[in-house]
Amino acid sequence: MVNDSHHKGKAKGQEESLATILNADQRSDLTLLIADATTAMRETILSSFDAGSSPSLDPGDDSLSEDDKIRNPNLDVATIDVEQYDRERKLKEQREKELSSPKMLELKAASLRFFDEWREGVLQRIGEVVNSKETASSHLMDASAAQAQAKPHQPADKKIDDQTKSPEVSNEASGGTTLGDLYPPVSTPLLSLEDSHRILILHSMLLLLLSLEHYIAPSRVLLLYLTSSLRLPLSVLTNDEEKVAHGLLEAAKELTGASETQKKATENQSSRKWKVGLASVAGAAIIGVTGGLAAPLVAAGVGSVMGGLGLGATAAAGYLGTVAGSTVIVGGLFGAYGGRMTGQMMDNYAREVEDFAFLPVRGARRRFEGKEAEAASESEHRRLRVTIGISGWLTEKEEVVTPWRVVGKGAEVFALRYELEALMNLGNSMTAMVSSTAWGYAKSEIIKRTIFADIFGALWPLGLLKISRVVDNPFSIAKSRAEKAGEVLADALINKAQGERPVTLIGYSLGARVIYSCLTSLAKRGAFGLVESVVMIGAPTPSTTAEWRVMRSVVSGRLINVYSENDYVLGFLYRTSSIQFGIAGLQKIEGLPSVENVDVSEMVSGHLRYRHLVGSILSKIGFEDIELEELEKEEEALKLLEEEEETKKALLAKQNKTKDEAGGAHEADQEADSMEKQVQEKTQKSLLQRATEQLYISTGTGTGKDAGTSQKSYYQRATDQLHFGNNKDGSGSATQGQHGAQPETSQPKSYMQLAAEKMNLG
């Protein structure tokens, strides 16, 4: 059990630091531990580009040729699945060919180059504080030699159901996923130290990594390895991160200095952090900057706001380095400075993707409007890590945010809003389809075969194909928009919209498609170190090793594919796509051991289930941040959904008793017409409601004696707005002219544009 006894006795003697709690040998052990951990991280990168690193049926010595293995007299041919063995051999040859392509060789070289530069910076900083750069480099060589003989970490595939217990991700045995399973501990003599000193080491390492003027994904993964190796609960690290974030922001908020602002602006005129211009810095309010950037953080200030962490104020400021001396850096760390999605940048994004914005799941994050008190109160929600949740379809506008409330407070959580109309059309279309008579009949036929037999053999029942137009077009449009949204998300991350912090991405259905597009774009642009972990649930994306290898190159931590073999809706929707490349949401990813495959077939009977199972799935796979109260709400909502489905199922069963397949197909056209009309009405109603609410917000009225008149006026204007302009597909659908599909000189500004300008809403 971790104790805090050293905190109480700290004031009696010298301020504690690594120099006071570690002797020379122990400081050497610390640098060796860091060298070993970073070498293990590098081996994981290398394993992703190794054609032979996947588990296979290859018998015997790997150094032998395939023919020699077959001729091996010690090999019992009777026990070998020759067909499977031959399949593995061919796949390996295919992977070797793929990995030898110039594109893949360049990606491997670029990812290793980035990692090595980051590691060099870490070791140099550690050497400055703990011993020397030369000593750290020497330990790195020793670690590399030892790790060359070790196998890289390969997470095991999982199969979870409703009975699977949610493991506590810690170093304590739980019978499930532990931190050591995810980040295998490195052997170190430092385990002999008392708990309080191991905690102090971890805290010091966090500050030293922050002193590099960023807290990128590899830095966070390194701390996870250190937490595991020092046998500390994960809560120690997450609590430390929260306190440090709060401490930095509070210290920055208390001191302001207009003179430093002017000086820094002049010195860094050509710097990326100043090209955007201070006038558009929305994040300035977040750290309470009222008259420009704050004056340097003094050592005492940093120490006072970080009290209770066991480290002396002087040591804390020393470990933070330049971070303790400039709120320019603090602001950049949290996204207050540097390239951000404001002004012209948002306009450019809006031309490609409607409604694109990061919505905070908790907290307000107001724009800087001179309301210092309101802005200052928001600092409590800021964290050193960011999690972005991405919904894959909508039936209500609230579903942009609602599924992600289950993600805990260890990270700053945002929901990505994009293409509301396309996602609502898709959500309403899928809901209508699975509630239809045709689907009810078709599913009873589909379950007699495997889902892949239906996809590849085009064996879908005729009645279902007749109503396919209800979902095919909405899915095609939404999938295309999701791909664009992913590219925009990648651009936002590269431009530091979320600061210099590690980002975790979670998405279900087309939300996973957004992530797929984002990671592919990041890899193409060589943007490494931005993404810590990724969870893709029910992903309508290719499942080929080559595609996932590219994504893996830009993910520093966990890359998880959650799939269900019973997802008939996904199979039906994806049947017209490039199914020859597989479907990640229906199958495991082969040949890439650093990807975690999680089979949820026994708990996910259909694609629409994912919306209500996000929290449960995250909990069961050992995701570190879960809000238990929200998880209970999610489970209750799922129970209600299941009860409604049972009622509808019984009704459909009665209807199907009097219909054969031919009759069902004959009536399917009429049912499809009715469904299309129903989907359109639901979508328009939701969009009208949103436009009306936005109009109320933009005018700030609607109460008092003119409330009745105003409401009628707002409703009419919102209705007009819904029919303003043509959409990007030229179909004249609602809301698509909002971002200036027509030249600004020929059309007046739409309501949404005016509202965005007035309220600074993205």
Side-chain angles (χ1 to χ4, degrees):
M1 191 71 182
V2 176
N3 68 68
D4 297 315
S5 59
H6 73 294
H7 298 323
K8 298 178 181 178
K10 182 177 65 176
K12 296 180 180 179
Q14 184 182 8
E15 283 190 346
E16 288 191 334
S17 66
L18 293 177
T20 63
I21 67 169
L22 302 178
N23 58 36
D25 289 339
Q26 290 169 334
R27 291 198 294 274
S28 180
D29 290 335
L30 177 57
T31 55
L32 182 58
L33 171 60
I34 294 165
D36 284 341
T38 55
T39 302
M41 292 167 62
R42 195 177 194 275
E43 287 299 313
T44 299
I45 297 175
L46 287 171
S47 72
S48 298
F49 293 95
D50 182 3
S53 65
S54 63
S56 67
L57 300 177
D58 291 351
D61 187 352
D62 286 340
S63 64
L64 298 175
S65 69
E66 307 300 333
D67 291 338
D68 289 339
K69 289 177 183 177
I70 293 294
R71 291 193 293 267
N72 185 352
N74 298 321
L75 178 66
D76 185 1
V77 181
T79 63
I80 298 298
D81 186 337
V82 178
E83 182 178 346
Q84 179 70 7
Y85 174 75
D86 189 56
R87 174 177 171 272
E88 288 278 340
R89 180 179 59 80
K90 290 179 179 179
L91 284 174
K92 185 174 180 180
E93 291 174 355
Q94 180 182 342
R95 290 195 292 269
E96 288 174 344
K97 181 179 179 180
E98 169 221 326
L99 286 167
S100 63
S101 68
K103 177 182 176 182
M104 202 59 69
L105 289 173
E106 173 55 31
L107 180 62
K108 177 182 178 180
S111 61
L112 289 173
R113 186 163 54 247
F114 170 84
F115 181 84
D116 289 342
E117 289 175 359
W118 165 81
R119 180 171 62 171
E120 178 67 21
V122 170
L123 290 173
Q124 181 174 351
R125 181 62 178 138
I126 299 303
E128 291 172 354
V129 172
V130 177
N131 35 52
S132 68
K133 180 182 177 182
E134 290 73 20
T135 302
S137 298
S138 173
H139 285 315
L140 177 59
M141 294 178 63
D142 295 340
S144 299
Q147 283 292 330
Q149 306 300 321
K151 290 185 178 181
H153 173 54
Q154 298 182 359
D157 293 339
K158 302 181 182 69
K159 187 169 185 176
I160 62 177
D161 55 31
D162 293 328
Q163 306 304 315
T164 303
K165 293 183 178 180
S166 300
E168 178 185 354
V169 184
S170 67
N171 274 314
E172 299 171 2
S174 62
T177 303
T178 66
L179 187 61
D181 295 329
L182 303 174
Y183 303 95
V186 176
S187 177
T188 175
L190 296 176
L191 282 177
S192 62
L193 295 173
E194 59 184 271
D195 293 340
S196 61
H197 286 174
R198 283 182 280 125
I199 291 174
L200 191 68
I201 290 173
L202 186 64
H203 174 56
S204 300
M205 285 306 306
L206 172 58
L207 299 184
L208 287 171
L209 290 171
L210 284 172
S211 73
L212 299 176
E213 300 186 8
H214 55 61
Y215 186 48
I216 58 176
S219 296
R220 217 280 164 153
V221 173
L222 173 58
L223 287 177
L224 289 170
Y225 269 104
L226 294 181
T227 305
S228 172
S229 301
L230 294 172
R231 296 293 195 275
L232 295 172
L234 182 57
S235 59
V236 171
L237 174 60
T238 55
N239 291 339
D240 212 2
E241 288 174 321
E242 181 177 342
K243 290 176 182 177
V244 169
H246 183 70
L248 287 174
L249 292 169
E250 286 298 308
K253 183 179 66 178
E254 290 176 3
L255 299 172
T256 59
S259 58
E260 190 199 16
T261 303
Q262 197 65 32
K263 179 182 176 183
K264 290 290 184 181
T266 303
E267 291 176 355
N268 299 284
Q269 205 160 19
S270 62
S271 171
R272 173 185 62 80
K273 292 183 178 181
W274 289 92
K275 286 180 180 177
V276 179
L278 288 175
S280 63
V281 177
I286 297 165
I287 60 172
V289 179
T290 58
L293 303 182
L297 304 179
V298 295
V302 174
S304 63
V305 294
M306 295 184 186
L309 292 174
L311 198 63
T314 304
Y319 292 168
L320 281 169
T322 55
V323 175
S326 173
T327 53
V328 175
I329 299 172
V330 174
L333 181 67
F334 288 92
Y337 307 103
R340 296 163 341 284
M341 297 197 316
T342 56
Q344 186 177 358
M345 189 183 297
M346 268 307 299
D347 289 340
N348 292 335
Y349 289 161
R351 292 191 183 99
E352 292 293 321
V353 179
E354 291 280 353
D355 312 308
F356 190 94
F358 293 114
L359 303 182
V361 172
R362 55 183 64 89
R365 285 204 69 178
R366 297 180 183 274
R367 300 287 184 175
F368 180 59
E369 298 173 335
K371 300 177 181 178
E372 294 84 2
E374 293 181 37
S377 66
E378 295 172 7
S379 64
E380 65 180 281
H381 298 291
R382 309 311 305 278
R383 297 291 185 271
L384 286 177
R385 297 183 292 121
V386 173
T387 297
I388 301 174
I390 313 173
S391 300
W393 72 83
L394 306 171
T395 55
E396 299 175 349
K397 65 183 186 305
E398 290 80 7
E399 290 181 339
V400 172
V401 173
T402 303
W404 311 112
R405 290 190 178 127
V406 74
V407 180
K409 299 177 182 178
E412 193 171 341
V413 188
F414 293 89
L416 182 66
R417 188 186 69 195
Y418 69 102
E419 294 290 352
L420 290 182
E421 182 181 9
L423 294 183
M424 282 184 178
N425 263 330
L426 177 60
N428 290 327
S429 297
M430 288 195 299
T431 302
M433 184 185 74
V434 299
S435 301
S436 68
T437 304
W439 179 261
Y441 176 85
K443 189 172 181 181
S444 64
E445 293 297 311
I446 294 170
I447 60 177
K448 297 175 183 178
R449 307 181 290 267
T450 67
I451 191 168
F452 286 102
D454 290 291
I455 296 174
F456 290 102
L459 299 176
W460 301 100
L462 179 59
L464 183 57
L465 292 175
K466 281 183 173 289
I467 68 166
S468 64
R469 71 174 191 266
V470 177
V471 293
D472 282 351
N473 193 48
F475 179 72
S476 177
I477 291 174
K479 183 161 77 75
S480 175
R481 304 284 175 80
E483 290 168 359
K484 288 185 179 180
E487 294 174 359
V488 171
L489 175 59
D491 199 45
L493 296 181
I494 290 172
N495 281 286
K496 311 300 181 187
Q498 295 293 354
E500 300 275 4
R501 301 178 290 175
V503 175
T504 290
L505 301 172
I506 312 171
Y508 63 86
S509 187
L510 285 180
R513 184 80 186 192
V514 172
I515 296 174
Y516 162 76
S517 175
C518 173
L519 297 181
T520 302
S521 180
L522 290 176
K524 189 182 299 183
R525 299 164 71 175
F528 306 101
L530 299 174
V531 179
E532 178 189 345
S533 293
V534 168
V535 184
M536 297 173 66
I537 304 173
T541 68
S543 61
T544 61
T545 306
E547 298 277 2
W548 282 73
R549 196 188 312 279
V550 170
M551 291 193 289
R552 189 70 185 89
S553 70
V554 292
V555 179
S556 299
R558 304 174 70 184
L559 175 56
I560 306 171
N561 176 46
V562 179
Y563 68 96
S564 170
E565 296 175 350
N566 298 324
D567 194 345
Y568 301 107
V569 173
L570 177 59
F572 185 67
L573 291 172
Y574 208 76
R575 74 191 188 285
T576 58
S577 301
S578 303
I579 58 175
Q580 69 271 22
F581 299 115
I583 308 173
L586 295 174
Q587 60 194 127
K588 67 181 293 186
I589 308 303
E590 302 278 1
L592 204 57
S594 57
V595 172
E596 297 178 48
N597 290 290
V598 181
D599 183 355
V600 294
S601 301
E602 295 186 16
M603 64 184 296
V604 177
S605 57
H607 201 63
L608 296 181
R609 278 284 193 280
Y610 285 125
R611 153 68 182 85
H612 300 280
L613 284 170
V614 170
S616 180
I617 290 172
L618 292 178
S619 177
K620 294 177 189 296
I621 64 175
F623 191 76
E624 62 182 84
D625 292 319
I626 296 295
E627 197 75 21
L628 296 180
E629 184 178 342
E630 294 295 334
L631 179 59
E632 292 176 0
K633 292 180 181 178
E634 180 186 85
E635 292 172 347
E636 287 298 320
L638 181 60
K639 287 181 182 179
L640 293 175
L641 176 66
E642 290 174 341
E643 291 174 2
E644 292 178 4
E645 287 181 347
E646 285 299 319
T647 303
K648 292 178 181 178
K649 185 177 179 181
L651 181 61
L652 284 173
K654 291 181 180 179
Q655 294 175 346
N656 288 335
K657 280 184 179 180
T658 59
K659 297 180 181 180
D660 55 18
E661 183 176 3
H666 179 71
E667 295 181 3
D669 285 327
Q670 289 183 333
E671 186 176 26
D673 290 337
S674 175
M675 289 164 59
E676 283 184 322
K677 188 179 296 185
Q678 179 185 7
V679 168
Q680 187 177 14
E681 289 175 353
K682 284 185 176 180
T683 301
Q684 294 301 315
K685 182 178 179 181
S686 296
L687 291 170
L688 178 60
Q689 181 183 1
R690 176 174 180 266
T692 305
E693 290 174 355
Q694 291 289 79
L695 207 51
Y696 270 108
I697 293 173
S698 69
T699 58
T701 57
T703 59
K705 63 180 182 180
D706 296 326
T709 304
S710 297
Q711 183 173 356
K712 182 178 179 180
S713 173
Y714 297 153
Y715 189 89
Q716 182 60 50
R717 288 167 62 192
T719 304
D720 292 341
Q721 173 57 35
L722 284 172
H723 295 90
F724 176 79
N726 295 316
N727 69 5
K728 293 188 287 287
D729 302 297
S731 60
S733 184
T735 74
Q736 297 300 321
Q738 293 170 357
H739 289 284
Q742 302 295 329
E744 290 187 9
T745 54
S746 61
Q747 289 282 7
K749 290 186 177 180
S750 69
Y751 149 67
M752 292 303 238
Q753 288 174 315
L754 294 172
E757 289 177 3
K758 183 170 183 178
M759 297 297 295
N760 277 330
L761 294 173

